[in-house]
Amino acid sequence: MASKISIAPWLSVRDGKRALEFYKNAFGATIAWQLDTPDESVVAKLSVDGAEFWISDGDATEPLGGDSVRMILTVEDPDSMFSRAIKAGAIEVHPVSDSHGWRIGRLIDPFGLHWEIGKEI
């Protein structure tokens, strides 16, 4: 029997609890698993319509700010999701438009991470 293999990104952020609220409001994320630590930091697995990713409060020794990762969130209606994220506090880098066979836009979340939101057309 073949085992299920998956890869899920793990995002280090400066304020995990605030990040949870942002991703719920911006992308409709649900919390699949959460650990609140005694020092009030958080580790959580989130799901956006079945697509999973992890977040946690970053250590002072880790580089933060999204310089090494860009997320691609593929959804049926990128215009609506993009607008929702902007209303939740993201900053537009490039508006949603048709480019290279995709309907896609780019934004930066409040934690410095870059997100492409789109779908193949």
Side-chain angles (χ1 to χ4, degrees), residues 8 10 14 20 23-24 26 37 39 46 54 59-61 64 73 76-77 103-106 115 119 121:
W10 190 309
R14 283 187 166 73
L20 285 176
Y23 296 127
K24 288 184 339 189
T37 65
D39 67 353
L46 301 168
W54 291 79
D59 296 333
T61 58
L64 295 174
L73 179 58
E76 279 300 311
D77 185 355
R103 177 96 182 130
I104 196 159
R106 182 173 168 195
W115 293 78
K119 72 173 186 176
I121 50 176

Side-chain angles (χ1 to χ4, degrees), residues 1-120:
M1 181 190 305
S3 63
K4 180 181 174 188
I5 298 173
S6 67
I7 297 174
W10 190 309
L11 310 177
S12 292
V13 296
R14 283 187 166 73
D15 186 343
K17 291 186 185 215
R18 190 170 137 238
L20 285 176
E21 291 308 308
F22 173 78
Y23 296 127
K24 288 184 339 189
N25 292 329
F27 304 140
T30 57
I31 299 170
W33 183 86
Q34 181 175 343
L35 171 67
D36 294 308
T37 65
D39 67 353
E40 298 189 16
S41 64
V42 66
V43 175
K45 180 168 82 169
L46 301 168
S47 175
V48 177
D49 201 22
E52 296 179 342
F53 66 99
W54 291 79
I55 65 166
S56 67
D57 288 282
D59 296 333
T61 58
E62 295 179 55
L64 295 174
D67 293 338
S68 64
V69 67
R70 185 183 305 175
M71 306 297 295
I72 298 176
L73 179 58
T74 306
V75 296
E76 279 300 311
D77 185 355
D79 295 271
S80 293
M81 183 68 77
F82 193 89
S83 177
R84 180 178 177 168
I86 296 298
K87 288 177 186 168
I91 298 169
E92 181 180 296
V93 173
H94 188 276
V96 177
S97 63
D98 295 343
S99 178
H100 305 287
W102 281 74
R103 177 96 182 130
I104 196 159
R106 182 173 168 195
L107 55 81
I108 301 173
D109 71 21
F111 313 96
L113 299 166
H114 289 239
W115 293 78
E116 303 270 351
I117 300 175
K119 72 173 186 176
E120 284 189 85

